[in-house]
Amino acid sequence: MFGTLAQAAVICGVSWFLWKYFRQIFVKSPLDNIPGPPSQSSLLSYAGHLQQMLDRHAWPMYKYLTDSYKGVVRLAGPLGHRMLYVFDPVALHSVIVKNQYVYEEAAFFIKSHQLHFGPGLLATLGDHHRKQRKLLNPVFSIAHMRRMIPIFNEVGRRLQKGIEDRLLARDAPIELDMLSWMGRTALELIGQAGFGYSFDPLVADSPDEFAILIKAFQPALSGVTMLRRLLPYIPEIGPVWLRRKLLELIPNQGLHKLRIIVDRLHERAVAIYEERKKALEQGEESLSHKMGEGKDLMSILLRANMAASEEDKLPEEELIGQVSTFIFAAMDTTSNALAITLSLLAEHPDVQERLRREILEASNGEDLGYDTLVSLPYLDAVCRETLRLHSPVTTVFRETRQDAVMPLSEPIIGVDGSKISEILVPKDTTVIVGILSSNRDKARWGEDALEWKPERWLSPLPESVTEAKIPGIYSNLMTFLGGGRACIGFKFSQLEMKVILCQLLTRFTFAPSDKPVVWNLSGIRFPSVGESTKASLPMMVGLYKGADSAAASA
């Protein structure tokens, strides 16, 4: 009897799996009428177009989608599933703002971030996510950001000193890995401003093991991109120790590298949390003598959590999850954005010199305060244009929790020649939010959309941009997303970028090295030399000849 029931259960389970994951091959869908490129692999292959889009050299694929289609594209997904790639502004508003709880984060994204960082902001959904965000939002207020500026400037001066020490007694510029320096700096910025904790004094020739591991996260992740998408369908067998043992048996170097990185990240997050918690328990007087003087984001969060009602309080594991999340998110996105900004300034020496003059005139040899920093027009233009054209994150994935109707800003012509003004999106459809495509869409930004032109921000943007009502939280861009899952730390990131650029350009010059640098597509884009998978950005760095006279005039 038991055997018969077990057999029936297995048959039902297998039947359900086959129907759920293969039914799209046999059942017609309203998405079949949406234009899209032909799949270059068989319908029954696992990857579909996904393999092309997740390749680290997939930039031509994204350019093709942006230039060839009008804001929405049907793609072939895994096991014949239909996907939508979306960059139409009205459709984007529906996905990330109006119907954001219908278009939830993809299951693989949530599952993988739970494994990587714990139950932090990137790994929660629905009411759980809103509860975390409610407590965290005030931490990133403008008032708190103002208090960060002295910390940012202090770390910037350490960076200056660290690079200067390598240039002393040199008559000519030398090659430095600026991605490494930006990674170390961003880690120290989130350490001091975020947690009242120092990761790296920026005096050694190379970062410590922890910084190297965090910077190796994206290259390691890019090696297991397809495996990540299987996570929601792998059952959690037995206790954690057993699952770890099973994981060790999988012959994949990228997977084992990730496991080491995640373990070290969690250990450091726990240590930081315990240190801040102990300091708070000793009272405000004790905290005022610690690094950050209790003004760091973690101390503010812990105070808010202590004062919150029982129903709004976050448990300890979620607070630790925020530490892991902020360490990674604040380091990798900002450091890579700074790296590509320096690379562009090196390729455009006229822009570099104009920006340097603006900073020198405003600073008069002193650190810039918050109000001056945010009022420098050319600095702001350089940052906005870089974040437009080279957003660190290229896409995010959403999945429909129920059938939905997606409106469009203008009709498209279906495969059958009919005019389509809205799309019925079935439940369980994967929707890819085209961040980069929205930022580079020539229909909105003009024929020069693929050019890096900071001056476009010094005059009013074209009506095609402003009237499109692109739903991004930042400057008509999708770079930091929008809606309830917009980047919570985007103001923090902007200030970091501006402070560090000011500190660097008043002391140093930057030029390209003769090594071939390639920018790789990953969860967060990263540079490497040639076909290497090691993240690095070699640049020629020299002392700015006017630095001493500028400092003396102060």
Side-chain angles (χ1 to χ4, degrees):
M1 179 67 178
F2 179 77
T4 303
L5 289 173
Q7 279 184 327
V10 169
I11 292 170
C12 288
V14 171
S15 300
W16 174 86
F17 178 87
L18 291 173
W19 172 248
K20 181 174 177 63
Y21 296 105
F22 287 93
R23 73 180 187 270
Q24 290 203 31
I25 299 172
F26 308 107
V27 177
K28 290 198 173 214
S29 165
L31 302 184
D32 292 338
N33 199 32
I34 307 303
S39 178
Q40 293 186 2
S41 52
S42 71
L43 190 61
L44 290 171
S45 73
Y46 171 71
H49 286 115
L50 205 55
Q51 188 168 7
Q52 294 171 262
M53 298 188 71
L54 297 177
D55 186 271
R56 68 186 183 118
H57 302 309
W59 306 114
M61 175 68 169
Y62 286 94
K63 184 178 186 303
Y64 165 74
L65 294 177
T66 310
D67 292 347
S68 304
Y69 297 93
K70 293 177 62 177
V72 60
V73 189
R74 176 180 47 81
L75 298 174
L79 301 177
H81 279 220
R82 301 165 183 86
M83 305 188 301
L84 283 182
Y85 181 77
V86 177
F87 57 98
D88 175 287
V90 172
L92 288 175
H93 184 271
S94 177
V95 172
I96 70 168
V97 180
K98 184 178 180 181
N99 296 309
Q100 58 186 297
Y101 303 118
V102 173
Y103 299 90
E104 282 279 23
E105 286 279 11
F108 83 87
F109 179 92
I110 296 297
K111 186 76 171 180
S112 61
H113 279 76
Q114 286 172 347
L115 292 172
H116 297 154
F117 310 122
L121 200 60
L122 294 178
T124 53
L125 292 170
D127 291 339
H128 194 179
H129 181 82
R130 288 191 287 276
K131 175 183 174 181
Q132 290 190 353
R133 200 168 182 106
K134 178 181 176 182
L135 196 67
L136 287 164
N137 271 331
V139 173
F140 291 92
S141 69
I142 291 295
H144 290 149
M145 293 303 99
R146 283 179 176 273
R147 297 193 197 110
M148 299 292 106
I149 296 298
I151 299 174
F152 288 176
N153 276 315
E154 173 58 29
V155 174
R157 286 193 295 273
R158 282 203 212 170
L159 172 64
Q160 278 187 346
K161 178 72 164 56
I163 294 177
E164 279 178 352
D165 288 347
R166 275 97 195 136
L167 293 172
L168 291 177
R170 304 289 187 116
D171 295 329
I174 65 169
E175 185 179 277
L176 294 176
D177 181 358
M178 289 309 297
L179 181 69
S180 175
W181 281 102
M182 292 303 93
R184 296 171 67 181
T185 303
L187 184 60
E188 185 64 4
L189 284 165
I190 189 58
Q192 290 201 29
F195 313 123
Y197 182 94
S198 180
F199 287 100
D200 185 346
L202 301 174
V203 295
D205 284 326
S206 60
D208 68 7
E209 181 198 12
F210 184 72
I212 292 172
L213 282 173
I214 298 300
K215 212 60 192 159
F217 183 88
Q218 281 301 329
L221 195 64
S222 67
V224 296
T225 300
M226 300 307 293
L227 282 175
R228 285 179 73 202
R229 281 158 174 77
L230 293 174
L231 284 173
Y233 315 118
I234 299 174
E236 295 186 354
I237 304 168
V240 173
W241 67 265
L242 177 59
R243 296 201 296 271
R244 288 180 63 86
K245 285 293 182 185
L246 293 173
L247 186 66
E248 291 171 10
L249 297 176
I250 299 175
N252 186 293
Q253 288 187 347
L255 204 59
H256 297 307
K257 181 74 171 177
L258 273 177
R259 180 175 56 81
I260 293 169
I261 295 170
V262 168
D263 286 348
R264 298 293 180 274
L265 178 58
H266 179 70
E267 290 168 6
R268 193 65 66 98
V270 170
I272 290 170
Y273 169 76
E274 293 294 346
E275 183 179 300
R276 284 292 96 183
K277 179 183 172 185
K278 182 178 178 181
L280 274 173
E281 288 171 349
Q282 292 173 345
E284 295 294 331
E285 177 62 27
S286 172
L287 198 60
S288 66
H289 298 295
K290 303 283 187 181
M291 180 176 290
E293 300 176 349
K295 298 174 184 176
D296 59 278
L297 301 181
M298 192 65 193
S299 295
I300 296 167
L301 173 59
L302 289 177
R303 288 193 199 96
N305 199 51
M306 291 165 60
S309 64
E310 283 304 315
E311 65 178 15
D312 288 336
K313 270 187 170 65
L314 300 185
E316 192 168 83
E317 67 170 356
E318 292 187 23
L319 293 169
I320 293 170
Q322 310 308 337
V323 178
S324 295
T325 300
F326 291 156
I327 288 175
F328 168 74
M331 176 188 177
D332 226 29
T333 53
T334 304
S335 62
N336 287 17
L338 275 166
I340 201 163
T341 305
L342 290 175
S343 179
L344 290 164
L345 291 171
E347 294 167 11
H348 300 83
D350 55 327
V351 176
Q352 181 180 159
E353 185 53 34
R354 179 177 174 180
L355 179 56
R356 181 180 290 111
R357 285 200 309 271
E358 179 182 75
I359 295 166
L360 287 170
E361 289 170 7
S363 66
N364 197 27
E366 298 178 351
D367 291 337
L368 294 174
Y370 177 88
D371 291 324
T372 304
L373 192 69
V374 299
S375 67
L376 296 181
Y378 203 58
L379 174 62
D380 192 61
V382 166
C383 291
R384 287 175 193 261
E385 183 67 350
T386 301
L387 292 170
R388 180 192 72 83
L389 191 60
H390 302 286
S391 56
V393 177
T394 304
T395 58
V396 294
F397 286 71
R398 297 287 190 262
E399 290 173 352
T400 50
R401 300 300 189 247
Q402 62 189 58
D403 291 351
V405 175
M406 179 185 290
L408 302 176
S409 63
E410 55 182 320
I412 61 173
I413 303 300
V415 174
D416 64 0
S418 63
K419 189 176 288 189
I420 301 172
S421 299
E422 59 183 24
I423 301 169
L424 176 61
V425 185
K427 180 183 176 183
D428 294 329
T429 299
T430 295
V431 176
I432 306 173
V433 175
I435 294 172
L436 192 67
S437 292
S438 176
N439 290 353
R440 293 182 171 192
D441 187 2
K442 291 179 181 178
R444 313 279 179 248
W445 294 93
E447 286 301 312
D448 62 354
L450 299 183
E451 299 176 36
W452 188 68
K453 296 174 66 174
E455 58 270 21
R456 80 170 73 239
W457 297 94
L458 300 178
S459 55
L461 293 173
E463 288 185 359
S464 55
V465 173
T466 57
E467 293 184 359
K469 295 182 172 53
I470 297 165
I473 196 173
Y474 170 70
S475 198
N476 295 291
L477 302 176
M478 288 300 297
T479 304
F480 295 107
L481 287 180
R485 298 193 77 93
C487 175
I488 198 169
F490 82 97
K491 293 173 186 172
F492 187 94
S493 177
Q494 283 180 284
L495 287 177
E496 281 183 283
M497 285 184 67
K498 289 182 177 181
V499 168
I500 297 306
L501 288 172
C502 288
Q503 295 282 4
L504 288 175
L505 290 174
T506 55
R507 300 296 294 175
F508 310 110
T509 61
F510 298 91
S513 81
D514 58 2
K515 293 178 179 175
V517 173
V518 175
W519 283 88
N520 302 274
L521 189 144
S522 184
I524 299 170
R525 69 168 68 211
F526 68 92
S528 63
V529 175
E531 289 301 309
S532 170
T533 57
K534 180 181 182 295
S536 66
L537 177 62
M539 297 183 69
M540 301 306 297
V541 183
L543 282 170
Y544 171 56
K545 300 301 183 184
D548 292 334
S549 59
S553 66

